[in-house]
């Protein structure tokens, strides 16, 4: 009996010693610092955003198609009926959800780069505005962060102004993705949608349009300050028809987020990109960024480069229901002058040299 008790005592002592050793080993492992935790949260915030924009629509479409051939077929049928009923909502202001715009995840998204919004002039709530967003870049990070999320303080900098951002109308035909876009304040880049926001929702609305579009994204690369704008005059005509003031904005650092394989004009690959752009509305770009494991690896996440979006002085525009070509050209020229002034006054503050020039094609 004494032998059994002694053996049990030795086992308990050994177990206690093992537990103490394990605890010492665990405590000796360095815990992640607050800086490491913040960096991880920022990386995850950017990852969910990239995956949402690149995959959410396609994955949702495939999932609903699959469910049609299962016992859950009623779910996609009911959702399809809802889309048909709700078809015109994206072009009638959408469904903004203020709580989504204030998600904490967008603050981590902002801090990853980081993104900053700079105000140079007041915007009066008694007017409506069309904000020209330049440059397009690859994924329009600056435009999204500043005009769709509340993380950079747009509503605080411009009290009484509601910001919207336009994107390709085809995105609002994708299931679930359309709900995600509308909840943030995105709307189709169509005359009907923009006209509704500028005429049917009172004043204090600011519609941001990435004017260069897909054509501009094909030339996006670090150090390039070339915009596609010379023949883009539809936004000026819309502004005149609704009496909306024109506001230039420029996101310094937008073109530094990715590396792109740029094909020369006249090459067969460039020709394919142009044709695809005309058919689908967007251009297939061959680009890469950083990977998940480290900033030195390659992947599809943007590099952590600072983006500063500067909102310039508004150009007062009269309301003319049927503006002439000469009038459109005049205000288009005034807008370009305001944009050049904005660029030249701020370029040395946000990473460019005095010799850098803004080229407009």
């Amino acid at each position: 009996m004494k032998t059994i008790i002694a053996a049990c005592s030795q086992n308990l002592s050994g177990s206690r010693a093992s537990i103490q050793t394990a605890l010492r080993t665990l405590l000796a492992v360095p815990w992640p610092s607050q800086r490491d935790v913040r960096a991880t949260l920022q990386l995850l915030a950017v990852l969910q955003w990239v995956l949402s924009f690149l995959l959410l629509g396609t994955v949702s479409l495939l999932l609903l198609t699959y469910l049609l051939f299962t016992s859950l077929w009623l779910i996609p049928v009911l959702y399809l009926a809802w889309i048909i009923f709700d078809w015109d909502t994206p072009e009638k202001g959408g469904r903004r959800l203020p709580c989504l715009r204030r998600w904490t995840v967008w603050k981590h998204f902002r801090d990853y780069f980081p993104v900053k919004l700079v105000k140079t002039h007041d915007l009066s709530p008694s007017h409506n505005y069309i904000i020209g967003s330049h440059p397009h870049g690859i994924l329009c990070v600056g435009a999204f962060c500043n005009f769709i999320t509340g993380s950079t303080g747009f509503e605080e900098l411009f009290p009484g102004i509601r910001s919207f951002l336009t994107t390709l109308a085809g995105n609002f035909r994708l299931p679930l993705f359309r709900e995600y876009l509308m909840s943030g304040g995105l709307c189709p880049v169509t005359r009907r949608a923009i006209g509704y926001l500028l005429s049917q929702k009172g004043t204090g609305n600011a519609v941001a349009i990435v004017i260069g579009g897909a054509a501009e994204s094909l030339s996006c690369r670090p150090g390039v300050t070339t915009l596609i704008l010379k023949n883009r005059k539809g936004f000026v005509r819309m502004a005149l028809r609704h009496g909306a003031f024109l506001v230039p904005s420029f996101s310094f650092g937008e073109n530094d987020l990715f590396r792109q394989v740029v094909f020369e004009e006249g090459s067969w690959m460039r020709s394919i990109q142009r044709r695809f752009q005309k058919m689908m509305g967007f251009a297939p770009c061959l680009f890469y960024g950083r990977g998940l494991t480290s900033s030195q690896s390659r992947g599809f996440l943007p590099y952590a480069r600072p983006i500063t979006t500067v909102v310039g002085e508004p150009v007062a525009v009269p309301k003319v229901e049927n503006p002439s070509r000469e009038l459109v050209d005049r205000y288009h020229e005034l807008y370009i002058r305001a944009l050049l002034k904005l660029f030249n006054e701020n370029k040395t503050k946000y990473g460019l040299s005095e010799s850098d020039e803004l080229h407009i094609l």
Side-chain angles (χ1 to χ4, degrees):
M1 188 67 177
K2 292 181 179 180
T3 304
I4 294 174
I5 294 174
C8 290
S9 300
Q10 290 177 357
N11 288 336
L12 288 174
S13 299
S15 299
R16 191 180 298 111
S18 299
I19 293 172
Q20 291 175 346
T21 303
L23 287 173
R24 291 194 193 98
T25 303
L26 182 62
L27 293 174
V29 175
W31 288 85
S33 64
Q34 290 186 354
R35 181 178 179 181
D36 293 333
V37 172
R38 284 196 300 268
T40 301
L41 291 174
Q42 291 166 11
L43 189 65
L44 292 175
V46 174
L47 175 63
Q48 67 81 26
W49 178 78
V50 172
L51 291 178
S52 295
F53 268 83
L54 295 182
L55 298 177
L56 180 59
T58 303
V59 171
S60 299
L61 181 61
L62 293 175
L63 177 61
L64 290 177
T65 303
Y66 167 75
L67 291 178
L68 275 174
F69 302 95
T70 68
S71 59
L72 300 175
W73 59 270
L74 188 59
I75 294 176
V77 168
L78 290 175
Y79 184 73
L80 178 60
W82 162 252
I83 289 182
I84 294 173
F85 174 79
D86 195 53
W87 191 260
D88 290 334
T89 299
E91 295 195 332
K92 293 183 178 180
R95 280 188 296 272
R96 290 162 62 98
L97 293 178
C99 59
L100 185 142
R101 293 167 66 96
R102 292 194 297 266
W103 270 0
T104 302
V105 69
W106 300 131
K107 295 181 180 180
H108 297 305
F109 179 87
R110 171 201 64 194
D111 294 338
Y112 170 84
F113 298 96
V115 182
K116 181 181 179 183
L117 180 64
V118 176
K119 167 186 172 180
T120 62
H121 293 78
D122 291 328
L123 298 182
S124 171
S126 61
H127 297 289
N128 284 326
Y129 302 89
I130 289 180
I131 300 178
S133 179
H134 311 275
H136 183 283
I138 297 293
L139 295 179
C140 302
V141 172
F144 176 87
C145 191
N146 288 298
F147 302 128
I148 292 302
T149 79
S151 61
T152 57
F154 183 92
E155 294 180 353
E156 289 74 25
L157 287 174
F158 302 101
I161 304 297
R162 296 176 297 275
S163 61
F164 299 84
L165 179 64
T166 58
T167 185
L168 293 174
N171 289 328
F172 294 89
R173 305 297 178 246
L174 295 172
L176 300 183
F177 191 45
R178 68 191 296 273
E179 323 300 339
Y180 177 73
L181 295 178
M182 285 192 291
S183 64
L186 283 111
C187 64
V189 61
T190 61
R191 291 180 182 179
R192 183 184 177 191
I194 297 171
Y196 184 91
L197 292 173
L198 297 177
S199 62
Q200 302 296 321
K201 292 182 72 67
T203 59
N205 300 299
V207 183
I209 303 175
V210 186
I211 297 169
E216 195 171 275
S217 67
L218 292 176
S219 301
C220 168
R221 60 184 184 273
V224 173
T225 51
T226 301
L227 304 181
I228 306 297
L229 179 59
K230 187 174 293 184
N231 296 317
R232 301 291 176 96
K233 301 179 182 180
F235 72 101
V236 178
R237 186 171 287 104
M238 286 293 296
L240 284 164
R241 285 177 177 171
H242 299 282
F245 288 13
L246 291 168
V247 183
S249 72
F250 195 93
S251 293
F252 294 91
E254 182 73 46
N255 285 347
D256 298 333
L257 304 182
F258 294 95
R259 303 292 182 267
Q260 181 181 184
V261 180
V262 179
F263 301 100
E264 297 297 329
E265 290 292 344
S267 64
W268 66 274
M269 279 298 297
R270 190 69 161 194
S271 177
I272 291 176
Q273 287 178 316
R274 294 291 188 193
R275 291 178 183 177
F276 192 93
Q277 173 196 336
K278 290 181 180 178
M279 290 188 297
M280 304 300 294
F282 64 94
C285 301
L286 297 179
F287 66 90
Y288 65 89
R290 60 156 290 177
L292 276 172
T293 55
S294 72
S295 58
Q296 284 72 40
S297 61
R298 290 190 178 184
F300 55 89
L301 296 179
Y303 291 107
R305 303 286 187 270
I307 304 172
T308 304
T309 301
V310 185
V311 179
E313 182 178 3
V315 177
V317 176
K319 185 175 182 178
V320 182
E321 189 171 345
N322 294 304
S324 64
R325 180 180 298 180
E326 292 75 17
L327 190 62
V328 171
D329 289 343
R330 184 198 310 171
Y331 279 94
H332 186 262
E333 180 62 30
L334 289 174
Y335 175 82
I336 290 178
R337 289 180 188 175
L339 176 61
L340 289 171
K341 178 184 177 183
L342 174 72
F343 178 82
N344 290 324
E345 288 180 350
N346 292 277
K347 60 184 179 182
T348 56
K349 300 177 184 177
Y350 305 114
L352 300 179
S353 66
E354 189 65 43
S355 60
D356 284 321
E357 295 182 355
L358 187 62
H359 303 284
I360 296 178
L361 302 179

